[in-house]
Amino acid sequence: RLNLGGNRKLNRAFHIIALVQLRCNSLAKAYYAKKRSEGKTSREALRCLKRQLVNVVYRLLRPPDATSLPVGPPQALVA
């Protein structure tokens, strides 16, 4: 079951970021279209896009010596 809890202000911020990315960023549009073609609903596809954006921001906030995630350029979803 989907957990709707957590930091509501942060969730809203990522929601707005995802909507702007969908409107302006061709990579985000392609990712969303790919998820839709996999049979996901529009809400599920948007949730996947938000998760990708959260991962990018998380990687940017991690210290460079962190070993749990690969060190490299963030995904190209962030313009």
Side-chain angles (χ1 to χ4, degrees):
R1 188 164 173 217
L2 179 65
N3 180 6
L4 297 176
N7 186 332
R8 301 310 306 153
K9 289 181 181 180
L10 191 57
N11 286 345
R12 178 169 167 74
F14 277 112
H15 181 77
I16 299 298
I17 292 168
L19 293 179
V20 171
Q21 290 274 316
L22 268 180
R23 195 172 32 200
C24 302
N25 188 312
S26 59
L27 292 173
K29 288 178 191 176
Y31 182 81
Y32 180 83
K34 177 184 140 192
K35 290 298 177 180
R36 290 287 290 158
S37 69
E38 291 175 0
K40 296 200 180 292
T41 65
S42 58
R43 289 180 72 181
E44 290 171 331
L46 185 62
R47 189 177 307 125
C48 292
L49 176 60
K50 286 191 273 190
R51 182 65 183 168
Q52 285 295 321
L53 293 170
V54 168
N55 288 340
V56 170
V57 171
Y58 182 75
R59 268 189 242 116
L60 290 172
L61 294 175
R62 295 282 294 182
D65 61 340
T67 58
S68 62
L69 291 175
V71 177
Q75 289 190 2
L77 286 177
V78 175

